Amino acid sequence: MNCSILKRAQEKDIIRIVLTNIRDFATDSYRKVDDKPYGGGPGMVMMPGPVFDCAEHVQKLSPEKGRGILLTPQGQKFTQAKAVELSKENRLILIAGKYEGFDERIRIGLGAEQVSVGDYVLNGGELAAMVIIDTVVRLLPGALGDEDSPRDESFSNGLLEYPQYTKPEAFRNMKVPDVLLSGNHAKIAQWRHQQAIERTKKNRPDLIKNNKF
Ligand code: ADE
């Protein structure tokens, strides 16, 4: 969080990131924050006490209530549309637990929505929280310099991005497509749109189904 765009966004006071360790709210000398599931089964479950105490402590750091988000593979899938939605909030409280999940009373009691970053299981929610922070921050006004501007980014129009080229014109026998050197902006735009559609069809046919381009 102290590199590149996130670093600059904090220096420019566009965002403030506060990290709080749930373990600091454990009540025993082992700093235990998870335990075996009632009813049996493998793995551990985050205990409600430390998570609640931690979340309440964090809530009180600002008068702004904040939108609570529990990172878990059981959540709704995080998408670019969700990132845009979250980028409009003044404050997010991201709660990362261990992979087996949270005691259900945490979700109910905190009224937090559950979000998953994808259909796979991470060792913990920290990387998922990082994904959300990274994705949301780059949508905040002023966070990106011109050179990292999000113009035709993948997903912003429901399609993957078209192929990009930069210098040199020829590289190991591979040439930049002539159309990109033609200076004909209408033709370039048409070529890029066509390429974006073809690439999306090939790599992400699921996106095409819901697309209205
Ligand atoms: N914690 C573990 N796996 C996760 C995932 N896919 N998304 C969000 N939080 C998680």
Side-chain angles (χ1 to χ4, degrees):
M1 283 190 263
N2 290 325
C3 296
S4 180
I5 289 169
L6 291 191
K7 178 180 185 196
R8 199 174 53 202
Q10 290 174 89
E11 284 170 356
K12 286 166 83 181
D13 280 333
I14 294 169
I15 46 156
R16 193 155 75 91
I17 302 175
V18 177
L19 285 175
T20 312
N21 192 346
I22 296 172
R23 259 187 205 285
D24 293 343
F25 296 83
T27 51
D28 71 339
S29 54
Y30 298 105
R31 309 224 299 156
K32 191 176 165 68
V33 294
D34 54 5
D35 211 327
K36 293 185 289 246
Y38 279 121
M44 301 289 268
V45 176
M46 295 295 289
M47 297 156 72
V51 180
F52 253 81
D53 290 348
C54 180
E56 278 168 0
H57 163 83
V58 170
Q59 257 155 7
K60 285 190 210 128
L61 296 177
S62 159
E64 185 84 47
K65 188 167 171 290
R67 179 158 167 184
I69 294 177
L70 276 183
L71 283 323
T72 156
Q74 275 80 50
Q76 283 187 344
K77 203 183 284 176
F78 184 62
T79 58
Q80 190 67 25
K82 187 77 174 178
V84 170
E85 184 191 319
L86 295 182
S87 72
K88 294 179 181 142
E89 298 283 347
N90 284 329
R91 187 176 189 219
L92 300 175
I93 300 179
L94 305 172
I95 306 171
K98 299 242 235 160
Y99 58 102
E100 292 294 340
F102 297 92
D103 183 303
E104 191 64 9
R105 292 163 293 184
I106 295 170
R107 181 186 64 75
I108 299 167
L110 291 177
E113 69 198 85
Q114 302 175 89
V115 174
S116 165
V117 293
D119 292 341
Y120 43 80
V121 181
L122 298 162
N123 287 320
E126 297 87 351
L127 285 176
M130 229 14 254
V131 166
I132 294 184
I133 293 168
D134 199 72
T135 316
V136 167
V137 167
R138 63 200 309 289
L139 294 170
L140 300 177
L144 296 186
D146 264 357
E147 68 280 14
D148 359 80
S149 96
R151 298 155 311 184
D152 286 331
E153 251 177 3
S154 294
F155 307 117
S156 57
N157 61 0
L159 291 174
L160 302 180
E161 202 182 32
Y162 46 77
Q164 296 271 28
Y165 293 86
T166 185
K167 288 189 177 102
E169 255 181 61
F171 177 73
R172 301 201 179 186
N173 271 337
M174 293 175 282
K175 262 200 90 255
V176 176
D178 287 339
V179 59
L180 297 178
L181 309 172
S182 69
N184 183 334
H185 295 297
K187 258 184 131 176
I188 291 171
Q190 195 187 19
W191 180 84
R192 284 178 164 169
H193 186 60
Q194 202 49 44
Q195 291 285 322
I197 292 171
E198 272 168 36
R199 180 178 270 194
T200 310
K201 270 189 193 152
K202 181 159 182 286
N203 295 348
R204 293 294 306 278
D206 55 305
L207 291 178
I208 296 280
K209 269 196 261 141
N210 326 317
N211 210 309
K212 40 194 176 308
F213 57 86

